[in-house]
Amino acid sequence: MTAQALETLALGEGAWLVAATDNNAQGEVFADRLRQMADSTGCDFSRLRPGAEDWNEELKERRERGELPHTQAEEG
């Protein structure tokens, strides 16, 4: 059902499918499936990858560097 929903959305005028998948073999496989879906429906495709192997690790590193404003303690 998820694949069907994505295909329906991808058929929309001006649709752009963006995949934010992990930077590993499993992420490559999933991104390739989504890229094929985009190609078959004629919509644009982009892939976002974390600098780290997975997004959880990337976000943890960003939080530790203070690069995620919504996770910082409020001043006051």
Side-chain angles (χ1 to χ4, degrees):
M1 288 182 17
T2 300
Q4 286 178 324
L6 286 172
E7 286 179 12
T8 299
L9 292 170
L11 286 168
E13 186 175 334
W16 192 319
L17 181 58
V18 179
T21 61
D22 288 343
N23 196 10
N24 56 27
Q26 186 176 358
E28 291 291 332
V29 170
F30 189 54
D32 190 52
R33 287 177 56 199
L34 293 171
R35 184 179 297 110
Q36 289 174 21
M37 180 184 298
D39 288 346
S40 71
T41 60
C43 81
D44 290 324
F45 177 82
S46 294
R47 179 179 178 201
L48 303 174
R49 296 179 190 134
E53 182 176 350
D54 66 51
W55 283 104
N56 289 328
E57 184 180 338
E58 173 81 12
L59 293 172
K60 180 180 175 186
E61 290 173 4
R62 287 183 186 188
R63 183 180 63 229
E64 289 170 355
R65 292 191 305 260
E67 295 177 3
L68 297 177
H70 62 281
T71 63
Q72 295 175 354
E74 291 186 28
E75 294 181 25

